[in-house]
Amino acid sequence: MASDRRDQAVRAAVDQNLLSETEPVAALLDIAGVRASAAALRAAFAAVTDAPVLHAFAVKACPLVPVLRLLYEAGIGAEVASPGELALARAAGVDPARIVLDSPAKTPGELREALALGIAVNADNPQELARLDALVQQAPTRSPLGLRVNPQIGGGTIDALSTATATSKFGIALRDEGARARVVRAYLDRPWLTRLHTHSGSQGMPLALLVTGIREVYELAEEINAAAGRRQVDTLDIGGGLPVNFASDEETPTFAQYARLLADGVPELFDGRYGLVTEFGRSLLAKHGTVLARVEYTKTSGARPIAVTHAGVQVATRTVYDPVSWPLRIAAYDAKGQPKAGGPAVDQDVAGPACFAGDLLAVNRPLPLLEPGDVVAALDTGAYYFAHHYAYNSLTRPGVYGFVARDDGEVRFATVRPPQGVAEIVAEAGGGRPDVLLME
Ligand SMILES: *Cc1c(COP(=O)(O)O)cnc(C)c1O
């Protein structure tokens, strides 16, 4: 079970000194868990269709090269949205034929590189289509090319992550006056446009709404193909966005549940006439990451107990700035990394090290009363947390370690990213040129 493996790994991380006085924060990734999620995703779609499916991991969810490599070995490609993400996918050895480029702000140089490599591109808007027109004329390309549309079906519970609202910045807004006809025309004018893409949003989107968005895109593909008199659109890219349960160890909703909902809501999607691309991010990684931090001090303020730890806004930025949308579970361990038992739970704040009042991982959370030297674990942080360091207070990036826990209790770690040292902080902050501003 995942929580047993986690307890084993926390104890071993303390034993093996990954977490120490000098390295008071460390991030752990459960390799077996990541493999299991990748296998579950592939099995979920294989169970409902024989159509070819490219599962492309949304690199932004965990932009670490060994993670991309692990997923690639498990049969998962990469969805990238910047030159940096593309470079990470290539460094991981991902075949360009299994990469999809989706950014809303691609430069001419990025487009040229993608087309030269044969990477699939989803254009975001008419101006980008015009750039593609020129590039496609200049040189032949193997890149499958598509267009992102926004079905404008509405948002979920988190505004910042809802990409299918009436005024979202992504793709062509399909319900705007005349837009649908313009999209059909764009395909008729461009025989090389063979894909349609949508991604309706992420955490907080109801599954039924995701399915509705995909139904809209399927119907648009049918309309385009009828107008073209041939199967011009041959692949539908249905995005990612499966939400994650941050409230318990249960992995729900599952990929299988989502695939079944899609099979009920858009059965034609799976009848073999269309190839499919998916772009899941959070749902592949979140449950398999844990941030560990040592408790440095404990105190009370206004009678409330507070544990001051070393993990806060730098590793849990969303939780700190928007705790209502992004609550995290916290597990308490003692200084040896054993689950902390004993005593009734006490409501307490789990604070980070940064110098602003809101730097809290949890507020008034019932936990065994924490003491200096204890270890707190922020759970379900494998996506959009420790890999998304926020450089407030010049706090260093923690080390990231993948682990395999064996039945006999042995835990082996692999360093995904070593801890950052303060020398690197100084170098990145212009430390090599202290005098440059001393000019008249
Ligand atoms: C962020 C993003 C994804 C992944 O979203 P998750 O919620 O992490 O699954 C997929 N596709 C696009 C275009 C995105 O912007």
Side-chain angles (χ1 to χ4, degrees):
M1 232 216 93
S3 62
D4 294 341
R5 284 204 300 272
R6 184 171 62 227
D7 287 349
Q8 240 178 298
V10 174
R11 200 160 51 245
V14 173
D15 277 352
Q16 298 181 35
N17 243 11
L18 301 183
L19 194 72
S20 64
E21 207 176 293
T22 46
E23 293 298 341
V25 187
L28 308 183
L29 256 187
D30 179 356
I31 295 170
V34 175
R35 285 199 175 113
S37 285
L41 170 58
R42 296 179 63 190
F45 279 76
V48 292
T49 185
D50 294 326
V53 186
L54 168 62
H55 296 293
F57 173 63
V59 170
K60 75 167 182 269
C62 193
L64 296 167
V65 172
V67 171
L68 304 182
R69 179 80 192 174
L70 173 65
L71 286 167
Y72 188 54
E73 292 296 316
I76 310 288
E79 185 266 354
V80 301
S82 70
E85 288 182 359
L86 174 56
L88 295 178
R90 301 204 71 209
V94 180
D95 179 352
R98 301 183 68 78
I99 299 177
V100 179
L101 173 62
D102 273 347
S103 134
K106 306 173 200 84
T107 62
E110 275 181 270
L111 289 171
R112 201 173 304 112
E113 183 188 10
L115 265 53
L117 290 166
I119 289 169
V121 174
N122 289 314
D124 180 82
N125 58 65
Q127 293 174 356
E128 191 180 340
L129 276 183
R131 284 184 179 174
L132 287 176
D133 285 338
L135 289 170
V136 165
Q137 269 180 8
Q138 281 163 25
T141 178
R142 277 171 292 121
S143 293
L145 301 172
L147 182 64
R148 178 167 182 173
V149 294
N150 168 10
Q152 290 168 298
I153 46 165
T157 58
I158 305 176
D159 284 347
L161 269 65
S162 297
T163 53
T165 62
T167 57
S168 164
K169 72 171 180 177
F170 295 106
I172 293 187
L174 212 48
R175 291 184 187 175
D176 283 11
E177 181 86 41
R180 199 177 178 95
R182 281 196 298 276
V183 168
V184 174
R185 186 75 247 160
Y187 277 78
L188 298 181
D189 290 345
R190 294 174 181 79
W192 40 264
L193 216 42
T194 57
R195 291 188 169 188
L196 256 181
H197 174 222
T198 197
H199 168 69
S200 291
S202 299
Q203 190 69 18
M205 282 292 283
L207 294 191
L209 207 51
L210 293 176
V211 173
T212 301
I214 291 163
R215 162 116 230 133
E216 298 268 331
V217 166
Y218 161 72
E219 281 167 4
L220 177 61
E222 290 288 291
E223 186 177 331
I224 292 167
N225 288 347
R230 67 189 182 100
R231 302 213 58 75
Q232 177 173 343
V233 177
D234 60 18
T235 300
L236 299 176
D237 181 336
I238 64 172
L242 191 70
V244 164
N245 167 26
F246 286 95
S248 77
D249 275 324
E250 216 184 310
E251 291 190 39
T252 172
T254 63
F255 291 117
Q257 284 165 340
Y258 185 43
R260 252 178 272 119
L261 277 180
L262 278 170
D264 289 343
V266 202
E268 307 90 338
L269 194 64
F270 295 134
D271 65 14
R273 288 177 303 142
Y274 290 96
L276 297 173
V277 177
T278 74
E279 305 172 343
F280 296 102
R282 181 178 290 106
S283 49
L284 280 165
L285 257 294
K287 301 301 280 184
H288 312 307
T290 305
V291 172
L292 302 182
R294 279 167 57 103
V295 176
E296 194 67 49
Y297 299 109
T298 56
K299 63 204 281 188
T300 59
S301 179
R304 179 174 307 173
I306 302 173
V308 179
T309 80
H310 285 276
V313 74
Q314 86 276 35
V315 286
T317 315
R318 283 180 168 167
T319 295
V320 166
Y321 285 123
D322 185 3
V324 173
S325 298
W326 301 103
L328 283 178
R329 290 185 296 148
I330 304 290
Y333 297 86
D334 66 17
K336 294 208 156 74
Q338 305 277 4
K340 197 168 164 79
V346 177
D347 288 348
Q348 54 200 301
D349 287 1
V350 180
C355 296
F356 66 99
D359 187 33
L360 303 167
L361 284 185
V363 173
N364 244 339
R365 187 69 61 85
L367 290 167
L369 188 64
L370 291 161
E371 300 162 88
D374 284 349
V375 175
V376 295
L379 310 185
D380 309 322
T381 47
Y384 304 101
Y385 279 92
F386 52 75
H388 293 66
H389 188 82
Y390 177 57
Y392 202 91
N393 273 146
S394 300
L395 293 162
T396 53
R397 288 191 289 267
V400 178
Y401 307 94
F403 71 85
V404 172
R406 296 200 332 202
D407 289 343
D408 66 4
E410 197 207 334
V411 177
R412 290 175 52 211
F413 290 103
T415 302
V416 175
R417 180 184 77 187
Q420 187 182 35
V422 290
E424 279 176 79
I425 294 260
V426 173
E428 286 179 7
R433 62 195 78 193
D435 296 335
V436 289
L437 295 182
L438 306 180
M439 61 184 180
E440 302 295 333

